Amino acid sequence: MTSPIDVEGGGASAVVDGAPGPETKSEPVTLAGRSPGQLMWLRFKRDRTGVICAVVVTGYFVVALLAPLLVKLTGTDPYTLYGQDPTYADKPVLDEFGLPLGYLGGVSGEHWFGVEPQYGRDLYAMLLYGMRTSLYMALGITVLIMVTGVVIGLIGGYSGGRTDYWIGRGTDFFLSFPQQLFFIAFMPVVTSFFVDPREETPTYFRALAMLIVLWLLGWMGISRIVRSTVLSLREREFVEAAKVSGASPWRIVRKEILPNVVTPILVQFTYQLPSTILSIAFLSFAGVGFVEPTPDWGRLFAAGARYAEQDPAFMFFPGVALVIFVLCFNLLGDSVRDAFDPKSGR
């Protein structure tokens, strides 16, 4: 329906009902921008593989944290010798040869993953407590490695000159040590200085020795990555502008450079953690890490190697658990890297 036609000066105009008049002002449109973190999160959520792997990895840490409660579901613990303790003589789990009774290494309603040959310890409890030992120790070591490498890389990359030169030579010196072989040779020497040879080395001492050695010989990779990134950033326009404005070096590093190296730090963290877990497992497998009766992933593999011919099933559950964790964490690292990359199409 149209309004009456106005004739003025020989011209005619028709005004349609509901159309804005000449004095009507439209509301300004506000476009909400997204921060780099929000864009990263949106890209990450679109990656189903990354989301699934993140859930699996988180589940591992939750299970490790709740290991004492989950073990109570079966009424077992990782230290009791169910095959030798006379208290459990009415429920035998081993035959006369010391091998598990039943299928798949003695899987039953009381022992969900079977039992250990010769001793009869519950594998389900040993695995959960072993995951707890390995995961949280590896997490602590990885955090120390990342913090040390980031600090040294920032100092060397931003300072340049003699400081960068000497830090580089120190990094080369630490890189010359073979990490795992050095630890195998280092452990007996340290033990002889601090522990009486007639006494068993305490578990806390073994954990502390592994932490120190893996930390001191593990920060060099992230340090070089951060240094190379800082070297390319310190000549950029926004850093030069901050220098001209009178900002202190600490403020420039904290406000301008550090936020731009978050991506390689997070990506490297996702690769460093499973590598540290494998290093701890190797040391326990070699007999210089955790020893009996401390539950540990590496010790389970060492025991499984001894029982491989008599009870191949003993290696199955620890092996599958470790493979799934390392695979998911590596895939999670790839997803995080792709999410931070604005050029990625994923």
Side-chain angles (χ1 to χ4, degrees):
M1 179 177 180
T2 58
S3 60
I5 299 176
D6 297 328
V7 180
E8 183 176 340
S13 63
V15 181
V16 181
D17 286 344
E23 296 183 358
T24 303
K25 296 182 178 179
S26 59
E27 294 292 334
V29 179
T30 303
L31 298 177
R34 292 191 178 102
S35 65
Q38 292 173 326
L39 294 174
M40 175 266 179
W41 176 242
L42 289 174
R43 284 193 292 267
F44 180 78
K45 288 194 298 183
R46 290 197 296 264
D47 189 347
R48 293 184 179 179
T49 301
V51 172
I52 293 173
C53 291
V55 172
V56 172
V57 168
T58 303
Y60 267 80
F61 281 97
V62 172
V63 168
L65 182 64
L66 301 179
L69 297 178
L70 295 176
V71 167
K72 288 183 179 180
L73 296 176
T74 60
T76 59
D77 66 76
Y79 304 105
T80 301
L81 306 180
Y82 294 96
Q84 299 180 357
D85 193 334
T87 307
Y88 301 93
D90 58 333
K91 296 181 179 180
V93 295
L94 301 177
D95 60 16
E96 62 273 16
F97 301 104
L99 299 179
L101 295 171
Y103 298 100
L104 294 176
V107 172
S108 64
E110 292 81 16
H111 305 284
W112 292 357
F113 291 173
V115 296
E116 182 182 15
Q118 307 301 326
Y119 303 105
R121 283 180 287 214
D122 184 74
L123 181 56
Y124 171 76
M126 294 171 66
L127 177 58
L128 263 60
Y129 273 82
M131 287 169 51
R132 192 183 194 192
T133 302
S134 298
L135 288 180
Y136 285 100
M137 183 170 179
L139 181 62
I141 294 174
T142 303
V143 170
L144 287 174
I145 287 174
M146 300 303 293
V147 170
T148 304
V150 169
V151 171
I152 294 177
L154 285 172
I155 294 174
Y158 184 76
S159 300
R162 289 179 176 270
T163 302
D164 185 34
Y165 174 81
W166 288 111
I167 288 179
R169 302 295 74 74
T171 303
D172 294 336
F173 173 77
F174 280 99
L175 283 172
S176 65
F177 289 96
Q179 187 183 85
Q180 295 172 343
L181 294 179
F182 178 79
F183 187 89
I184 293 175
F186 172 81
M187 191 67 179
V189 176
V190 173
T191 302
S192 64
F193 275 106
F194 296 97
V195 181
D196 191 327
R198 294 168 294 182
E199 299 178 358
E200 177 63 29
T201 305
T203 300
Y204 76 87
F205 185 85
R206 290 180 176 274
L208 183 62
M210 283 192 289
L211 185 148
I212 292 174
V213 174
L214 294 177
W215 168 38
L216 291 179
L217 300 181
W219 56 266
M220 294 79 72
I222 183 62
S223 174
R224 288 198 161 184
I225 292 174
V226 172
R227 173 187 174 273
S228 62
T229 305
V230 173
L231 285 174
S232 63
L233 289 172
R234 69 178 186 177
E235 306 298 334
R236 300 285 293 272
E237 293 79 1
F238 59 90
V239 175
E240 294 294 337
K243 292 179 181 179
V244 172
S245 65
S248 64
W250 164 244
R251 180 177 177 81
I252 294 174
V253 171
R254 182 167 53 92
K255 293 290 187 179
E256 307 295 340
I257 294 180
L258 189 58
N260 288 282
V261 296
V262 170
T263 300
I265 292 174
L266 288 178
V267 173
Q268 187 65 19
F269 179 86
T270 59
Y271 293 131
Q272 182 65 47
L273 182 60
S275 175
T276 304
I277 291 176
L278 293 176
S279 296
I280 295 174
F282 166 78
L283 295 175
S284 297
F285 183 86
V288 294
F290 292 110
V291 296
E292 294 185 0
T294 304
D296 177 69
W297 246 336
R299 196 176 67 76
L300 288 177
F301 287 118
R306 296 197 304 269
Y307 308 138
E309 294 184 0
Q310 294 82 13
D311 183 19
F314 184 81
M315 186 79 78
F316 177 76
F317 291 105
V320 170
L322 184 60
V323 168
I324 291 176
F325 179 82
V326 174
L327 176 63
C328 288
F329 222 108
N330 287 333
L331 292 176
L332 178 61
D334 293 337
S335 298
V336 171
R337 179 196 59 205
D338 294 336
F340 272 108
D341 184 5
K343 299 179 181 179
S344 175
R346 298 179 61 178

